Amino acid sequence: MCGIVGYAGRRCAQDVLLEGLTKLEYRGYDSAGVALAEKEGIRVVKSKGRLSTLREKLAAAQLPSCGCGIGHTRWATHGEPSDVNSHPHATPKVSIVHNGIIENYGSLKELLAAHGYTFESETDTEVLVKLIDSCYQGDPIKALMDALSKVRGSYALAVLFADYPDTVFAVRRESPLIVGYGEGENFVASDIPALLKYTRRYSVLDEGDIVVCKAGEIRFYNEFGEPAEHPVLTADWDIEAAEKGGYPHFLLKEIHAQPAAITATLSPRIEEGMPALRIPELTDEALRRISKIHLVACGTAMHAGMVGRTAIEKLARVPAEVTIASEFRYQDPILSPEDLVIIISQSGETSDTLAALKLAKSRGVPVLAIVNVVGSSIARAADYVLYTYAGPEIAVASTKAYTVQMCVLYLFALRLAYARGRLDEAETRRYTAQLQKASEIQKLRLDDCEYIKYLASRFVNIQSCFFIGRGFDYALSLEGSLKLKEISYVHCEAYPAGELKHGTISLITDGIPVIGLATQKSVYEKTLSNIKETKSRGASVILFTTKGAQVPEGVADYVIRLEEYEDIFMPLQLIVPLQLFAYYMAVLRGCDVDKPRNLAKSVTVE
């Protein structure tokens, strides 16, 4: 995934682009560049490395101010990070920045080479800009339509034509792109944070849309070149929400923001002590007709889905399964019109997850989306939407989005169980009240920061570790392991506690860290027995359990005690110390916490 910014207006375009790209670096940060529409033509400045390198290069160039340009921060997909592979890519007539993948770029490259075009980079984007150049006869809209009719793949493009130095053209297909409305200035961007300094008013482009963005007007055209209109939305969070607010990293700020995010997500959906989905079409009668639930997501969202699956089956006794989105559409899933597919995505733009949604709808299966971004592709394509209210999540590693995804899934499970008669009203009210306590319980876990930091200091030099747990604790083992490996680069694996002895225990030797999660009373003794097995083979054990649990001497080297809480909701408490442990491990190891290597926030390519 990459970040795109376009600007047309009265300000210095270079400054606006750099400001916007700074807010989008979470989308990619291995190279960056800008193209500026100067009187003499399009000027491109780009560089491998972080945005600071581009700033230095632009400062040295001392370019004259102009009011129109496009910018890009890259997460490499075609061609290694390098100056030449960086965006923008340009010809004398056209310059573009691109998020996505052109699948047939190889055949297009051969065709263009036969017509005399040469290529310097390894990127599909250079092929695309030269394809647009070959189609350009003075009409930018026609050139874009003609070129893109030959393209297979996904793209969000911002384009400059040298003949139109006051205009940014943009087009999207299967990659996110929005336009922002200012006073005497207008914007194009991949995401809202790039615009917040200047405006909170924006529109979302539909599939195939082309937008013409000038200082004084914005015009939309659909994929057939016909004029189109779009509603103007207002972002419900301001620039302060996208700043660190005194925290050293966005990740730590977002961990600490989780109690407030829980309250924001739950409060509108609890009416007189009962869960209320607030989806008119998804009535209790409709919930009773569901025969099976498929939860589909990627990465951290998939781990939230695992918690949701267990909650749904325990409370509502409806069969549920979790599938990784990138596998879902290729395994030819067995789907029925009586099923429900739940799609989970923080951004609402995840490519594999969006493709899974489209497959489900093509089979006539209703889709419920759980997303954080209003107006995102997944939100617009789904039959029903449950928005999470996490606010902006800037750090690449997801924290508060995961927490509120679990909250929404718990609410859904409770309403489903009540609708189907598996819980009576009194039981539903009791569970709902317990769920509402999650915010206060998380605040208690945030008080553990110093001790978790101490633990991280004891394990900072490890090369490998294991997470084990059963049931909900296994789902949390997967998420805890993912957090640790993605931001601290420690190799770690997560296993169901009872599975470790089926081969993997051969890797447990003196000093190997094992993080045991044992918060579920029904399987506590079983889990403790598995932890003892690792300890007897020399493991150094960190145990997470509850205050009332009996822990025999010698079972663990370190014990972190959690509040006594409803077993089914324990993931909402346990996740906080796991996130903090990963965070402090990354800090102490000198890692770039908010921008871990090779990763981007939302993967909009397959």
Side-chain angles (χ1 to χ4, degrees):
M1 182 182 72
C2 306
I4 288 173
V5 183
Y7 176 73
R10 63 186 183 278
R11 304 177 199 260
C12 174
Q14 179 185 144
D15 294 342
V16 176
L17 297 176
L18 288 173
E19 176 70 24
L21 293 176
T22 299
K23 298 297 188 280
L24 295 181
E25 253 196 312
Y26 64 90
R27 300 178 68 91
Y29 36 87
D30 57 38
S31 61
V34 297
L36 302 168
E38 299 179 347
K39 292 180 179 179
E40 297 77 15
I42 299 171
R43 176 79 68 95
V44 172
V45 181
K46 56 184 183 175
S47 178
K48 173 185 175 182
R50 296 290 174 90
L51 198 55
S52 57
T53 306
L54 176 64
R55 286 183 185 275
E56 293 171 1
K57 208 166 185 177
L58 284 166
Q62 295 185 331
L63 303 179
S65 178
C66 68
C68 186
I70 55 177
H72 190 267
T73 182
R74 182 174 185 246
W75 182 57
T77 54
H78 279 71
E80 66 179 7
S82 68
D83 286 0
V84 71
N85 286 334
S86 303
H87 297 210
H89 288 275
T91 70
K93 294 184 288 186
V94 189
S95 179
I96 71 170
V97 292
H98 169 217
N99 178 24
I101 287 182
I102 306 305
E103 296 173 0
N104 61 331
Y105 83 102
S107 59
L108 292 172
K109 189 173 185 177
E110 291 178 3
L111 179 66
L112 290 165
H115 286 80
Y117 283 92
T118 59
F119 299 88
E120 299 177 354
S121 76
E122 304 167 80
T123 68
D124 54 346
T125 304
E126 186 185 8
V127 174
L128 184 54
V129 73
K130 290 179 177 176
L131 178 64
I132 296 170
D133 182 275
S134 72
C135 296
Y136 180 59
Q137 300 294 325
D139 184 341
I141 300 293
K142 187 176 187 304
L144 290 170
M145 292 179 62
D146 289 349
L148 295 174
S149 69
K150 301 176 174 64
V151 165
R152 294 197 314 273
S154 62
Y155 47 80
L157 304 177
V159 188
L160 293 181
F161 288 86
D163 294 341
Y164 296 80
D166 62 347
T167 308
V168 175
F169 298 84
V171 59
R172 67 151 295 194
R173 184 172 297 282
E174 297 184 5
S175 285
L177 204 61
I178 62 175
V179 296
Y181 302 88
E183 297 294 332
E185 58 185 352
N186 290 306
F187 309 81
V188 171
S190 298
D191 205 351
I192 295 168
L195 309 182
L196 285 178
K197 183 175 179 179
Y198 310 102
T199 183
R200 293 170 59 192
R201 300 170 63 242
Y202 70 99
S203 292
V204 180
L205 273 68
D206 287 334
E207 290 289 281
D209 272 358
I210 298 174
V211 63
V212 179
C213 178
K214 303 178 73 171
E217 66 172 334
I218 292 176
R219 299 196 309 273
F220 295 96
Y221 299 90
N222 64 21
E223 60 185 324
F224 305 109
E226 301 164 339
E229 294 184 1
H230 289 286
V232 179
L233 308 174
T234 301
D236 59 2
W237 37 275
D238 55 26
I239 191 168
E240 285 76 18
E243 300 289 348
K244 291 179 184 175
Y247 288 90
H249 300 96
F250 280 110
L251 185 63
L252 186 60
K253 177 192 176 185
E254 289 159 11
I255 292 172
H256 280 262
Q258 289 176 121
I262 288 174
T263 300
T265 294
L266 292 180
S267 294
R269 298 189 174 100
I270 297 175
E271 295 179 354
E272 298 180 354
M274 293 289 285
L277 300 181
R278 293 181 175 274
I279 301 174
E281 303 87 352
L282 205 55
T283 62
D284 284 355
E285 181 181 351
L287 292 174
R288 287 192 286 272
R289 291 197 297 266
I290 296 171
S291 61
K292 184 177 181 180
I293 293 172
H294 307 262
L295 299 109
V296 184
C298 300
T300 287
M302 188 267 290
H303 296 158
M306 293 180 67
V307 172
R309 176 199 63 194
T310 306
I312 288 166
E313 292 192 335
K314 280 183 176 291
L315 294 172
R317 307 306 296 166
V318 175
E321 64 180 35
V322 180
T323 307
I324 298 170
S326 57
E327 294 292 325
F328 183 77
R329 62 176 168 150
Y330 295 114
Q331 66 184 23
D332 193 18
I334 299 172
L335 299 171
S336 163
E338 291 75 37
D339 293 352
L340 176 69
V341 172
I342 299 179
I343 295 288
I344 312 167
S345 170
Q346 182 271 334
S347 68
E349 302 291 350
T350 311
S351 176
D352 289 311
T353 311
L354 182 59
L357 181 154
K358 291 176 179 177
L359 173 63
K361 287 181 69 68
S362 74
R363 302 276 185 92
V365 182
V367 175
L368 168 64
I370 297 175
V371 298
N372 193 47
V373 180
V374 176
S376 58
S377 296
I378 287 173
R380 287 181 289 135
D383 298 286
Y384 321 113
V385 183
L386 283 171
Y387 285 111
T388 57
Y389 302 124
E393 191 180 63
I394 305 301
V396 168
S398 181
T399 51
K400 60 178 179 173
Y402 170 77
T403 292
V404 294
Q405 286 164 356
M406 287 194 291
C407 287
V408 169
L409 287 164
Y410 280 130
L411 278 175
F412 175 82
L414 288 170
R415 191 71 207 186
L416 182 66
Y418 175 70
R420 299 172 75 96
R422 290 291 180 175
L423 293 178
D424 62 24
E425 184 174 332
E427 291 173 312
T428 306
R429 288 183 182 278
R430 185 183 71 80
Y431 275 118
T432 303
Q434 285 291 304
L435 179 58
Q436 285 182 287
K437 291 181 180 179
S439 178
E440 293 303 314
I441 286 179
Q442 277 205 348
K443 290 177 183 178
L444 296 174
R445 296 286 65 79
L446 291 169
D447 292 338
D448 297 336
C449 283
E450 287 305 312
Y451 185 63
I452 299 297
K453 185 176 182 179
Y454 163 74
L455 280 181
S457 73
R458 303 294 297 170
F459 289 86
V460 67
N461 293 317
I462 64 174
Q463 299 302 313
S464 183
C465 72
F466 294 87
F467 285 72
I468 60 173
R470 290 174 180 258
F472 284 114
D473 289 337
Y474 170 53
L476 269 290
S477 293
L478 287 165
E479 179 59 14
S481 172
L482 176 60
K483 283 293 152 289
L484 186 59
K485 69 180 72 170
E486 71 180 332
I487 64 172
S488 76
Y489 316 143
V490 171
H491 171 262
C492 49
E493 301 292 339
Y495 285 89
E499 186 68 15
L500 194 66
K501 59 182 173 287
H502 293 289
T504 311
I505 202 166
S506 63
L507 298 175
I508 304 297
T509 56
D510 284 347
I512 289 291
V514 171
I515 299 172
L517 311 184
T519 70
Q520 301 294 301
K521 295 180 179 64
S522 62
V523 291
Y524 177 72
E525 291 183 356
K526 296 287 187 184
T527 306
L528 210 61
S529 175
N530 300 133
I531 292 171
K532 288 178 183 177
E533 292 171 354
T534 69
K535 188 62 181 169
S536 68
R537 286 161 176 80
S540 183
V541 174
I542 301 175
L543 173 64
F544 289 86
T545 190
T546 59
K547 288 184 175 179
Q550 296 295 315
V551 180
E553 189 175 348
V555 170
D557 298 273
Y558 306 92
V559 180
I560 293 87
R561 299 278 189 173
L562 310 182
E563 305 304 309
E564 295 294 337
Y565 190 37
E566 196 77 40
D567 273 15
I568 200 168
F569 300 136
M570 191 59 78
L572 292 169
Q573 178 177 191
L574 178 54
I575 188 55
V576 175
L578 299 183
Q579 292 168 343
L580 288 171
F581 183 70
Y583 170 76
Y584 285 116
M585 284 284 285
V587 169
L588 294 173
R589 290 166 68 91
C591 301
D592 191 336
V593 175
D594 288 333
K595 303 183 185 75
R597 67 190 181 206
N598 300 332
L599 299 179
K601 183 66 184 172
S602 171
V603 181
T604 55
V605 296
E606 289 187 76

